[in-house]
Amino acid sequence: MNIAKRDVVEASGSGQKSGSEAAIHAMPRIFEADDTDAVLLIYASNEFNALNKAAALLNIRVLCPVIAVYAVNTYRHSARLFITGGKEITSAEGTTQGDPLAMAIYALSTQPLITSIQAMSDAKQCWFAADACGAGTISEIKQWWDGLNKFGPDIGYFPNGKKCWIVAKPEKEALVKVAFKDTAINVTVEGQKHLGAVIGSRDCLQDYVNEKVTNCVNEVVQLVEFAQIQPQASYAAYTFGLKHHWTYFLRIPPDIQDLLEPLEEAISQVLIPAIVGRKCSKLDRDALALPVRLGGLSLSNPCHEAAREHASSTQVTPSLVEHIMAQTHQLPDESLIASGPLPLQEHGFNLGKREFRDAVKLRYDWPFDDIPSMCACGENLTVDHAMICKRGGFVIQRHNEFRDLEADLLSIVCTDVEVGLVLQDITEEQLSRGSNRAQDARLDVRARGFWDPQSSAFLDVRVCLPNAESYKDWEPQQIYRIHENDKKRLYSRRVLDVEHGSFTPLVFTTTGGMGMECIRYHCRLAELIAAKKGERYSQTISWIRAKTSFALLWSALVCLRGSRVKRRASYDYNNCDFEIAAAEGAIDIVLCLLAVLYIRFDSVIYSFPDTLTLEKKESHVSRKEKT
C-alpha cells in the first residue's frame, strides 16, 4: 500500500487528504442551499463483510491493475477467521479485518456503484468508506435512493432503510414523508450525525457536542486516578494519546468554544494539578498550554484550540469542498467506454487483428487452426516448437531484442552502456569449475554505476520455454533458479575476479515470466528512472513491465508466424557498376553457351568420359550428330 497508494487514489478518488473534513464542511453548505430540499444519510448493512468478492476482483483488474495480482491472490479463496474457543469459520465475502489492503479494495469496489447512480440522478453525493449521503430535491434523492437499491446489491452494498435518515427542511418535511412512505427511512427536521459532525439545526449540534464533551471529561477523570501515582506516564498518555482523541472533533463544528468549557475545567482544575502536584494560576495554565519548544508542556486549552483547529481545517480543504459542492469529479467518457481507447502506436503497444487474436490464444493456450502442421525444419509445428525452433533465426532475434531493450532502458540512467562486450582474457586468475574460460567470451550488456557508483554491472539475457517436456514436473521458480544458477556458474566468478564488477542473469520465459534476479533488477531500474525523471515508482515499474511484456509478445508472434523457409538471396542493384557488370555479363554468356553444348552432347552420347571413344557409340548416333 505504501507503493500503490497513489494509484488507488487516482483510480477510486478516495484517500484524499482531509477528505472526511471536506465532506463535513461541504454537506451542510449543500443542505443550506436554496435548491436543496433534504439530505439522505445512508447506513449499509454489514458494510465491509457483505462485499461481493467476485465483483470486487473483476472491477479492481480494470480500475487499478497495479494491485490486482495481490488482491486476487489474497481474496480468491475464503478467509479463515478464528473466534473465541478455538473455532474456525470461513468468510466467503467481504474484506478481511486487519488487511492493509481492505480499505483500498472496498474503495475501488464501490467506485462503479458511485458512477452508476451518478449517471441516473442529479443528486449531489458524497462517500466516505461505506457512509454515503445524497442531497438535492426530493425527486433527485428519491432517484438516488432507487439507484442504490438497484446497483448496490450487485457489489454487496445493501442499504438498511431502518437505520437511514433523511434530514429535511421544515417546509419540505411533509413532501419527503409522502415520497418515501413505502420505505423504512427515518425523517427528521432537527438534524443527524454525519462523519463525526452534524447536519441540521444548531440545537442538534449543541446536543451532539455536549455528549462528546461529557465522554471526554470522563476519560480525563479516569486518567487522573492513575496520575496520582504515575504522573509522568499520565502526562505522556495525555499528550501523546488522549488529547488526540478529540483533535478531529475540535476541527469540525464551528463556534463550539463555549461548549468546551467543562472539558477545560477538568483539565486545568483536576488533571494538571494531579500531574504537576499543585494548582495552577491562569498565567501558569497559559504557559503550560504552550508547545514544549516554547517552554510549555503541550497541555493545550481545548477552548482556544478549537477555533484554531477549525480554521486550519477550513483552510486546507477549500479545493475539495468546492469539488464536492460542484460535483466536478471527472467521470469516464461514454464514447470512450463504447469504443475503447486505441493503444498508443508510438510506444509499440498496438496489435493488428490477427496479432491480437494470436496473443489471446497464446495467453490462454487455445489451439491454432490456421498454421501449417509441419515446420520447415521437418518437425511438427506446435506452439511450443515454434518458440524454440532455431530455423529462421527468430530465437536469436528474440534474445537480441531483449538485450537491446535492456540496454536502451539502462541508457536512461547510466551514461556508459555497452552491448555485446568481450570479456578480458584470463591470466592467472583461479576460476571455479564450470566457468567460461573462452578468450572471446561475451556478455550481453555492461552498464557503469547501476548497482554502485563507478562499478560496472554485467547482464546476460536468457529466454527459456517453461512448457518444455524436461520441465513438466518442475515449479516455475525452480525453472528460473536453474537457469540463473547456470548463468552464474558460467560468468559470475569471471566477472567478479577479472572484471571486478557485478553479474546479474536476466531470465525470461516465453510465457511472460521473470526470474527473481530479473525482478530485482527491474525494481532497481524503476527506482533510478523514477528518481531521475520525477515520476512515480508505480507508474515507472508498470511502464517497464509493459515494455518487456510487449517485446516478448512481439517475439512470440514472430516465432509463431514468421517464415522459416530459406529465400533466394536478393541482388544489391543500388551498388551495382553497370559497365563492369556488362563486361562480365558477356563472358558469362559464352560460358553459359558452352555449358549448354556440354549438356546437349552429354545427353546424346549418354556419358562424358575423360577420353572420348565415339566409335563405341556409332550404332546409336549419326555422323552429323557426332560433329
Side-chain angles (χ1 to χ4, degrees), residues 359-368 383-384 467:
V360 174
K361 291 179 180 178
L362 288 172
R363 179 178 181 86
Y364 297 106
D365 199 21
W366 290 347
F368 287 81
V383 173
D384 291 345
N467 298 328

Side-chain angles (χ1 to χ4, degrees), residues 94-119:
T95 57
T96 304
Q97 294 184 11
D99 178 19
L101 205 68
M103 286 304 301
I105 290 178
Y106 194 86
L108 291 167
S109 303
T110 54
Q111 185 59 39
L113 170 62
I114 297 172
T115 304
S116 297
I117 60 177
Q118 180 75 31

Side-chain angles (χ1 to χ4, degrees), residues 516-585:
M516 290 304 300
E517 296 275 355
C518 189
I519 292 174
R520 283 192 286 266
Y521 158 78
H522 282 124
C523 290
R524 171 65 174 168
L525 181 62
E527 291 176 359
L528 296 176
I529 294 177
K532 182 173 182 178
K533 298 179 67 67
E535 302 286 348
R536 292 204 298 271
Y537 170 83
S538 58
Q539 287 185 339
T540 306
I541 191 66
S542 298
W543 175 75
I544 291 175
R545 288 170 181 164
K547 294 291 289 185
T548 55
S549 296
F550 267 88
L552 186 60
L553 175 59
W554 283 117
S555 63
L557 294 175
V558 171
C559 289
L560 180 68
R561 295 287 185 180
S563 174
R564 291 180 169 86
V565 178
K566 288 187 177 181
R567 298 188 302 274
R568 178 176 59 87
S570 59
Y571 188 80
D572 187 5
Y573 294 102
N574 293 326
N575 298 318
C576 176
D577 190 317
F578 295 144
E579 182 178 357
I580 296 176
E584 293 178 346

